[in-house]
Amino acid sequence: MEIMPFILILIFIIATLVGYKLISNVPSLLHTPLMSGMNALSGLAVLGALTATAMAMNTGSRILGGLAVILAMINVVGGFGVTNRMLSMFHSKKQEGDEA
Amino acid sequence: MILYYVLCAILVLGILFGISMMSRVETAVKGNRLSAICSAAAILITMFYYHILTDWLLWICIAIGLVIGLIWAYRIKMIQMPQVVALFNGLGGAASALVAIIVFYSGLSVGGFSRATAALALVIGVVTLVGSLIAGGKLHGILAQRPVVWTAHQAITIGSLVVSLILIVMLIAIPDMQTVLIIFCTLFSILFAIAFAIRVGGADMPITISLLNSFSGVAGSIAGMAVNDILLVAVGGVVGASGLLLTQIMCRAMNRSIRDILLGKTSVSASSQSGTDSAVAATETTSAEVTGTAKETADAAEEAASADDPVEILRAAKDVIIIPGYGMALAQAQELVKRLADRLEENGGRVRFAIHPVAGRMPGHMNVLLAEVDVPYEQLYEMEQINDDFATCDAVVIIGANDVVNPAARSAEGTPIYGMPVLNAEQAAHVIICNYDLKPGYAGVDNPLYSRKEGVSLLLGDAAETLASLLEKLQ
């Protein structure tokens, strides 16, 4: 089903405002993980790549689409992966005590 | 049908909730996992909704991307993080650009709205890809890290952007010529991205990285509009907003405007001619290239400063603030910094770290480096939290930071750092500077701290070596 352009733009604007509000609460301590987490989410272009590839009408488009899926998946998986690695490094004094 | 939209809404909320959990260290790991799970679910739901679960090509591509992503994510070293973040970012942009191209050839692009959004997504996606690759190349040392300025750079930047925009309009209006137009549109976007990214260097990198992060989200969101995928539109919007917010924070921390950065006015180009060259050299010199003159100045400076023995000062200090900068990352000295902090604490001192928002090469760079060597995050303070405490602390140890502690930012009108918020290191009773040399920082403005006669100890040279000998003496 075609969604009206108006609604798509509206969703974009709302998402932008909500995102802006949410992210302004993140302390600068976590800016790098935040950025790489956001980075991972931008790889959700894979959704567009999947549908576009499946509906592609010629081989050329399918190859391009497959490439897009691969690149976007690297972005998603790699992004969440490095974010997880970074976040697991942040320790507080108390936690250190518990582990010891 | 309705179920699909409900599920999409739930997933978006899940991702948003995951992001809000990222605002506290205690919940951040879970927040990231929640976002990841929602993303995986989004992929499956999208494939189910479009009845493409049986398309083998898609699964093969997903598997390839998954494996490469996992390998990269867990193989890379923490020190490579800035360039890796840049690279991943570029890949997302590339994917959006490719989706845009497919839209033009799939027959999906009947409507003007689809064509317009696809054209925009193409340009922004290409700019994200090429810009990120150049930024990553600079961070990785493949490309020259210093800002490269062409003749008529500004004209090329603005010109290529304007031509790209005109091509977008033509691409929307003249479907018959789309192949030629797509090629030219891509070429001019590439030119713009190169012109924009190549003249960014050193200290302007955090701004550029956050801006590109924002672009990748916007590219994804607009590509989502082109293929009618509301999930992608929403998530891309959130990413775009987050990147924009980070860019604003970085810009504020450096006292420059987003427009200046986009049009290529970096902090160096704004500086006076005389300071520029040495500034560039100072930022880019690596430990291997110790020049004779730097050594001589170092010796002279050490003699001058020998009145305040840094070892004695640190031994007696009960309240120490450490200021790390990019020099710490260059010298890989974070482990030694942690040992110094431990030693000072064993002496009964209180140790805190003051982190300037733009210290390093990406937002939050110093925090990650220090977290890696197990500095508890309670010890990491933001500029606003700690800036009033410098006046009362016993000693400040500066490790590879310059512009972010330069008091000239308050007084030297007309210099690129004038008005930039800086850490009040000069208010401390004693300042111990472990910098590589006496050259001005990236911005090319002389640091008055270097020439101050009292209360300043200069320990010049590679930060790792300096710290090692300092630790030995503190034994």
Side-chain angles (χ1 to χ4, degrees):
Chain A
M1 184 189 79
E2 285 281 307
I3 306 161
M4 286 194 325
F6 165 72
I7 294 176
L8 288 171
I9 293 171
L10 193 69
I11 292 173
F12 174 71
I13 293 170
I14 294 172
T16 311
L17 295 177
V18 173
Y20 196 89
K21 185 83 199 71
L22 271 182
I23 286 143
S24 53
N25 294 328
V26 177
S28 67
L29 172 72
L30 292 175
H31 275 169
T32 298
L34 169 75
M35 197 173 64
S36 83
M38 288 297 132
N39 195 344
L41 286 175
S42 74
L44 276 184
V46 71
L47 301 179
L50 287 168
T51 49
T53 310
M55 289 165 194
M57 302 205 295
N58 55 54
T59 323
S61 291
R62 267 179 81 78
I63 293 171
L64 283 184
L67 187 61
V69 172
I70 294 176
L71 296 180
M73 276 308 287
I74 296 176
N75 186 192
V76 174
V77 176
F80 281 125
V82 292
T83 310
N84 188 49
R85 265 184 72 188
M86 278 190 276
L87 287 172
S88 345
M89 293 186 326
F90 283 90
H91 287 292
S92 84
K93 274 190 175 144
K94 284 175 232 150
Q95 281 171 356
E96 266 174 31
D98 291 345
E99 282 167 21
Chain B
M1 174 69 83
I2 293 195
L3 180 68
Y4 168 72
Y5 289 112
V6 171
L7 284 173
C8 280
I10 292 172
L11 288 176
V12 170
L13 286 176
I15 288 172
L16 287 174
F17 191 66
I19 295 168
S20 73
M21 286 167 77
M22 296 271 281
S23 57
R24 285 178 62 229
V25 185
E26 295 83 12
T27 52
V29 175
K30 282 184 194 140
N32 183 52
R33 283 194 191 134
L34 178 63
S35 298
I37 291 167
C38 288
S39 303
I43 292 173
L44 290 176
I45 288 170
T46 302
M47 289 181 79
F48 180 78
Y49 177 68
Y50 287 96
H51 306 289
I52 51 177
L53 278 166
T54 49
D55 192 332
W56 54 270
L57 177 71
L58 301 181
W59 287 108
I60 291 175
C61 293
I62 288 177
I64 295 173
L66 190 81
V67 171
I68 298 177
L70 278 177
I71 292 175
W72 281 0
Y74 287 93
R75 277 270 178 88
I76 59 122
K77 299 192 189 82
M78 274 304 148
I79 188 68
Q80 298 169 318
M81 201 51 83
Q83 52 266 47
V84 170
V85 169
L87 177 66
F88 284 151
N89 204 33
L91 296 182
S96 298
L98 287 172
V99 169
I101 293 176
I102 302 166
V103 168
F104 279 112
Y105 290 102
S106 65
L108 284 171
S109 59
V110 274
F113 182 73
S114 288
R115 297 187 68 83
T117 45
L120 264 176
L122 173 66
V123 170
I124 303 176
V126 170
V127 170
T128 308
L129 170 67
V130 178
S132 300
L133 287 181
I134 290 181
K138 277 170 173 266
L139 289 165
H140 200 63
I142 302 169
L143 298 170
Q145 292 201 22
R146 59 193 176 76
V148 177
V149 181
W150 302 329
T151 40
H153 204 121
Q154 190 96 342
I156 296 174
T157 313
I158 297 174
S160 55
L161 181 63
V162 170
V163 174
S164 301
L165 294 178
I166 293 171
L167 286 167
I168 290 177
V169 176
M170 289 172 71
L171 200 44
I172 301 165
I174 322 171
D176 297 338
M177 283 173 65
Q178 69 181 18
T179 305
V180 183
L181 287 171
I182 286 173
I183 292 171
F184 275 97
C185 210
T186 308
L187 289 178
F188 276 95
S189 313
I190 292 174
L191 180 63
F192 170 72
I194 296 176
F196 153 66
I198 200 87
R199 72 182 292 176
V200 174
D204 286 315
M205 210 41 112
I207 303 183
T208 313
I209 298 266
S210 349
L211 192 61
L212 288 168
N213 193 32
S214 177
F215 282 176
S216 73
V218 174
S221 189
I222 296 177
M225 291 185 196
V227 294
N228 249 285
D229 190 315
I230 50 168
L231 244 169
L232 184 50
V233 172
V235 172
V238 174
V239 177
S242 101
L244 189 66
L245 184 78
L246 277 180
T247 313
Q248 279 182 341
I249 293 172
M250 298 297 120
C251 279
R252 218 175 297 141
M254 290 197 67
N255 193 32
R256 41 205 52 251
S257 76
I258 293 181
R259 205 179 56 110
D260 284 355
I261 297 296
L262 261 179
L263 295 181
K265 283 187 205 152
T266 63
S267 45
V268 167
S269 68
S271 75
S272 60
Q273 282 299 308
S274 59
T276 313
D277 288 351
S278 64
V280 169
T283 340
E284 312 314 340
T285 340
T286 60
S287 52
E289 307 167 330
V290 184
T291 58
T293 43
K295 275 260 162 109
E296 279 160 36
T297 359
D299 294 341
E302 260 180 280
E303 266 172 48
S306 60
D308 312 288
D309 182 9
V311 179
E312 291 310 316
I313 293 164
L314 285 179
R315 215 169 255 157
K318 291 287 163 246
D319 188 4
V320 180
I321 299 177
I322 300 179
I323 303 176
Y326 186 57
M328 180 182 81
L330 263 186
Q332 280 296 289
Q334 53 271 31
E335 184 71 51
L336 290 156
V337 171
K338 162 71 173 162
R339 295 223 312 255
L340 176 68
D342 287 347
R343 181 71 42 80
L344 294 171
E345 284 186 329
E346 283 162 22
N347 281 352
R350 176 192 191 199
V351 179
R352 287 174 292 173
F353 291 83
I355 316 279
H356 192 277
V358 291
R361 289 294 177 266
M362 63 178 170
H365 195 180
M366 292 298 125
N367 300 300
V368 174
L369 290 177
L370 291 170
E372 193 194 2
V373 293
D374 280 331
V375 174
Y377 61 82
E378 292 96 340
Q379 274 183 305
L380 306 173
Y381 288 82
E382 294 180 27
M383 180 163 60
E384 295 79 30
Q385 294 173 309
I386 203 166
N387 234 358
D388 294 334
D389 296 355
F390 281 103
T392 52
C393 77
D394 298 323
V396 166
V397 185
I398 297 173
I399 295 151
N402 193 342
D403 287 336
V404 297
V405 294
N406 193 342
R410 286 190 217 97
S411 53
E413 242 171 291
T415 61
I417 58 168
Y418 180 67
M420 168 178 158
V422 289
L423 293 160
N424 298 331
E426 88 282 4
Q427 293 177 0
H430 287 282
V431 184
I432 298 163
I433 303 175
C434 305
N435 276 4
Y436 185 68
D437 53 30
L438 287 173
K439 288 176 183 153
Y442 176 77
V445 183
D446 283 319
N447 194 331
L449 273 178
Y450 291 173
S451 48
R452 209 168 86 179
K453 291 281 176 281
E454 276 168 27
V456 173
S457 313
L458 285 165
L459 304 174
L460 300 187
D462 181 80
E465 289 167 20
T466 313
L467 283 170
S469 80
L470 192 62
L471 274 167
E472 213 167 280
K473 288 177 200 156
L474 273 174
Q475 205 67 313

